[in-house]
Amino acid sequence: MHIPTYFERRPSMDLSADTIASFERLYAEAVEHGTGAEIDYRLSAPKWQFLCYMADTRGILLHGSGNPDITEFEPRQSNDTHEFGNRKAVYAASDGLWAMYFAIVDRDRHVNSLINSCFRVLDSDKKPGDPIYFFSINDDALPHRPWRNGMIYLLPSATFEQQPLDDYKGVDAEIAQWASLVPVKPLAKLAIVPDDFPFLSRIRGHNLKEVMERATANPDGFPWVDEPRDPANTATT
């Protein structure tokens, strides 16, 4: 299947045995205690790899925020075009990079529109492939570099439900969005800076007026942008 070039793929997660062991030790020391304390991260591996590993292997859900002092998440009404994401709930991601995007984009400075996604296409055996991403903000905000330091909260998944499978070009896609209708206390948290996000230079800009017109004409046409002519970034699955 052809995946349009405006989508991004997760960078390599080819982790050594020593790196995995260090992640497991950090998990045992910080996450399993469930106190909500900040993780003292001193590993050489990038933070995004630790977060993705936790989500992929431990069932940890992640919430990115600019607020470093959240001790309990309360359900809040969201504004989303999809029914699942337009409820009063606590939202979290089962992917580290998606959560990081929300942590480092400063919506108090110039940003008034976010278009984003994280999904995995299921193969014929219903096995999900590698994560596929889309990251964009309104184009007039990009010159201001509206990035901030953020916090990633690691949440237990017990009260969450995952967004139902969606359709992508006629095949099932697993969306990395989860929702809890009841309050959630974080197990731990990890501070990040914009440069921790490996897609920082690849966050796109979109014209809000144009996107709204395209979305009205074709509600299923996410992300409502043209595919760039960039063969080097062509992805297929």
Side-chain angles (χ1 to χ4, degrees):
M1 175 186 293
H2 172 71
I3 301 298
T5 57
Y6 44 66
F7 286 119
E8 304 284 356
R9 296 292 192 127
R10 181 190 284 181
S12 173
M13 280 282 287
D14 185 17
L15 304 176
S16 69
D18 287 345
T19 298
I20 292 174
S22 68
F23 287 170
E24 293 289 352
R25 285 193 297 270
L26 190 59
Y27 175 86
E29 294 167 0
V31 179
E32 285 189 333
H33 295 165
T35 62
E38 184 172 342
I39 296 172
D40 183 14
Y41 195 91
R42 303 186 184 187
L43 306 180
S44 59
K47 290 180 178 179
W48 72 263
Q49 289 187 345
F50 170 73
L51 293 169
C52 287
Y53 177 83
M54 285 294 102
D56 289 351
T57 66
R58 289 292 185 172
I60 295 294
L61 297 178
L62 306 166
H63 182 102
S65 174
N67 183 348
D69 300 313
I70 301 173
T71 57
E72 184 174 61
F73 288 89
E74 294 283 348
R76 294 185 178 180
Q77 181 61 46
S78 182
N79 180 21
D80 192 272
T81 57
H82 195 286
E83 181 180 356
F84 181 87
N86 196 35
R87 297 181 295 169
K88 186 177 182 180
V90 177
Y91 289 95
S94 52
D95 184 273
L97 291 171
W98 203 14
M100 293 177 81
Y101 165 79
F102 287 102
I104 60 98
V105 172
D106 188 350
R107 280 170 278 183
D108 292 329
R109 292 196 304 121
H110 309 287
V111 178
N112 55 35
S113 175
L114 302 178
I115 301 178
N116 57 94
S117 184
C118 173
F119 63 96
R120 297 173 184 251
V121 174
L122 274 59
D123 64 18
S124 58
D125 296 323
K126 301 301 180 182
K127 180 181 178 181
D130 293 334
I132 297 169
Y133 306 94
F134 185 83
F135 303 114
S136 184
I137 64 175
N138 48 294
D139 55 10
D140 56 342
L142 275 177
H144 300 281
R145 296 187 55 79
W147 321 131
R148 67 187 177 191
N149 294 345
M151 190 69 73
I152 304 295
Y153 292 88
L154 287 74
L155 308 179
S157 61
T159 62
F160 283 84
E161 59 176 316
Q162 188 172 14
Q163 182 171 330
L165 293 178
D166 205 348
D167 177 83
Y168 178 72
K169 296 184 181 296
V171 298
D172 287 335
E174 182 182 272
I175 312 300
Q177 180 169 231
W178 297 64
S180 171
L181 302 182
V182 298
V184 181
K185 290 185 177 180
L187 300 170
K189 58 186 180 182
L190 178 65
I192 65 169
V193 299
D195 284 342
D196 288 323
F197 183 57
F199 291 121
L200 186 66
S201 65
R202 296 185 65 85
I203 294 178
R204 296 173 57 97
H206 59 265
N207 182 283
L208 180 55
K209 180 176 181 294
E210 183 176 294
V211 164
M212 292 179 66
E213 291 173 350
R214 293 187 178 194
T216 300
N218 180 16
D220 295 326
F222 177 90
W224 306 288
V225 298
D226 295 323
E227 183 170 0
R229 298 181 182 278
D230 182 6
N233 193 38
T234 299
T236 58
T237 185

